[in-house]
Amino acid sequence: MEIELNGYYTMILATLVLLLGRWLVVKIRFLSDFNIPEPVAGGLLAGIVVFALNALFGLTFKFQGQLQTAFMLMFFSSIGLSADFSRLRAGGKPLVIFLFVVAAFIMVQNLVGVGMAAALGLQPLIGLVTGSITLTGGHGTAGAWGPVLESRYGISGATTLGIATATFGLVAGGLIGGPVAKYLIRKLDRHKLPQPTRQTKVEAVAASQSLYSTRHTEGDTAPDNAMFDKPDEIRLITASSTIETLALFAGCMAFAGVMTTVAKGTVFELPTFVWALGGGVIIRNVLTRFFKFDMFDRAIDVFGNASLSLFLAMALLSLRLWELTSLALPVMVILAVQVCVMMAYAALVTFKVMGSDYDAAVLAAGHCGFGMGATPTAIANMQAITDRYGPSYKAFLIVPMVGAFFVDLVNAAILQMFTQLPFLQ
């Protein structure tokens, strides 16, 4: 028996999933230590409940899809609206080099996934689900590509598999970043910082509870342009800025709708969310460059983060876990290989290309974080290293810029190229 829920009930359940996820992350240390997002924590539990109801009573649920699609498009629009190419100048040549290093790894990640899938007798496109769609792309990209792979390429359970794989990647990215960086730092013969002597009692307590460094080092000051991916940071937003930002999102989504229709059946046919992302990039850079428009990044971030949370909650409520039983073992084999490839690439390529110095070691830890998981995981990896071995302003400037939005642009282009290859159809 299938129970269909309209948009109101879908929204109610999605918000309940988010509240449940917040409670779980607070209560279960493992979830907070590995930066598991609240919608993922609550959504996976909800998915297990749905699985149990299906197994025991034969119940399935159908949720309102248009609402989920709208939030997905808003999330990808926010990535495009955040992609200010003038920031490339702030990172300079190292940022461009690192972006090429990351792009090359995305190619490697997909080749490994597709090759392993074919070797294990799976559909080759499943290799993309166990490749950059989920590992570099994260839950948002997994939830967006899942329906495309299911409807256009006939891969059953692609969304469910994508969400599960992205969750595995978050945990794996948090586990391997520290060991890789420590191995590289030992090769540099760099020692841990001495214990601080000029801490207040408050700083001493804070240092014991957090990875954020509270050490006083002579001459060290954090750069003003350092970026951190903190979705829960308090931001002051006015009613007028809200309306302006909603207008920008509406423009991106309208552009995506028009371009999806125009490009259908042509060589330029792309998933709608890719057009939303591209529309955001165009609108952002045209308005700021030619019209000197002051983009309200704080509002864009808030709407983007909220949209991603609601989209993920709805996607996870729709999980059909019973479709994955035959894929469990081969997928775990592919993911194990992907973890080893990420560690080897970070140590042998990222580290060496970025200069083989301390900053390069911290960048390697960050690459492990968003190459397998997400930008928050990358930041946590780097904080764990810099808290013990000293600051790396270069890494904290480059990784958030690349991991927060530039990598999504590159990943979308590479994935579109892979899906057009004849032998993957």
Side-chain angles (χ1 to χ4, degrees), residues 320-403:
R320 304 174 72 89
L321 294 174
W322 52 89
E323 296 177 351
L324 293 183
T325 52
S326 62
L327 294 176
L329 182 59
V331 165
M332 288 307 299
V333 172
I334 296 174
L335 292 177
V337 173
Q338 290 283 27
V339 170
C340 296
V341 170
M342 178 75 259
M343 296 176 70
Y345 190 92
L348 300 176
V349 180
T350 306
F351 176 67
K352 291 185 177 180
V353 173
M354 296 309 298
S356 300
D357 54 10
Y358 174 67
D359 287 323
V362 180
L363 282 168
H367 193 187
C368 288
F370 73 77
M372 290 295 295
T375 308
T377 307
I379 298 298
N381 284 351
M382 295 192 303
Q383 286 169 341
I385 299 302
T386 57
D387 192 53
R388 293 167 176 82
Y389 294 94
S392 174
Y393 300 137
K394 178 180 177 180
F396 274 97
L397 172 66
I398 292 175
V399 167
M401 283 187 181
V402 173

Side-chain angles (χ1 to χ4, degrees), residues 125-411:
L125 279 175
I126 289 180
L128 296 183
V129 182
T130 56
S132 74
I133 286 179
T134 58
L135 300 179
T136 294
H139 290 88
T141 306
W145 273 99
V148 174
L149 294 174
E150 290 170 352
S151 61
R152 189 179 300 175
Y153 301 101
I155 300 179
S156 178
T159 302
T160 305
L161 175 62
I163 296 297
T165 302
T167 303
F168 171 89
L170 272 178
V171 177
L175 286 173
I176 66 176
V180 167
K182 289 176 183 177
Y183 163 75
L184 297 172
I185 290 170
R186 279 200 301 269
K187 291 177 61 176
L188 297 172
D189 197 28
R190 186 182 179 105
H191 302 289
K192 290 184 179 181
L193 294 175
Q195 290 297 318
T197 57
R198 295 196 299 113
Q199 281 185 309
T200 66
K201 290 183 179 180
V202 173
E203 287 177 326
V205 172
S208 66
Q209 295 178 345
S210 172
L211 290 176
Y212 294 95
S213 178
T214 56
R215 294 183 174 90
H216 289 294
T217 305
E218 296 296 335
D220 281 345
T221 57
D224 294 335
N225 56 3
M227 296 174 59
F228 299 90
D229 190 28
K230 297 181 180 178
D232 293 327
E233 181 181 348
I234 296 174
R235 298 171 173 89
L236 301 177
I237 298 175
T238 64
S240 60
S241 66
T242 298
I243 293 171
E244 288 179 3
T245 305
L246 286 175
L248 294 174
F249 278 106
C252 294
M253 295 166 74
F255 175 83
V258 170
M259 292 306 300
T260 299
T261 302
V262 171
K264 188 173 183 179
T266 71
V267 293
F268 298 104
E269 184 175 357
L270 300 171
T272 305
F273 72 89
V274 178
W275 285 118
L277 191 155
V281 174
I282 294 170
I283 290 173
R284 166 80 189 221
N285 290 280
V286 168
L287 288 179
T288 55
R289 182 174 179 83
F290 297 105
F291 297 95
K292 308 302 180 184
F293 185 76
D294 186 16
M295 301 292 285
F296 204 78
D297 287 318
R298 289 175 292 175
I300 293 171
D301 291 342
V302 167
F303 283 115
N305 286 320
S307 298
L308 175 60
S309 294
L310 288 166
F311 161 58
L312 286 178
M314 293 175 187
L316 288 161
L317 279 170
S318 305
L319 287 181
R320 304 174 72 89
L321 294 174
W322 52 89
E323 296 177 351
L324 293 183
T325 52
S326 62
L327 294 176
L329 182 59
V331 165
M332 288 307 299
V333 172
I334 296 174
L335 292 177
V337 173
Q338 290 283 27
V339 170
C340 296
V341 170
M342 178 75 259
M343 296 176 70
Y345 190 92
L348 300 176
V349 180
T350 306
F351 176 67
K352 291 185 177 180
V353 173
M354 296 309 298
S356 300
D357 54 10
Y358 174 67
D359 287 323
V362 180
L363 282 168
H367 193 187
C368 288
F370 73 77
M372 290 295 295
T375 308
T377 307
I379 298 298
N381 284 351
M382 295 192 303
Q383 286 169 341
I385 299 302
T386 57
D387 192 53
R388 293 167 176 82
Y389 294 94
S392 174
Y393 300 137
K394 178 180 177 180
F396 274 97
L397 172 66
I398 292 175
V399 167
M401 283 187 181
V402 173
F405 41 80
F406 288 120
V407 71
D408 289 290
L409 304 178
V410 175
N411 195 25

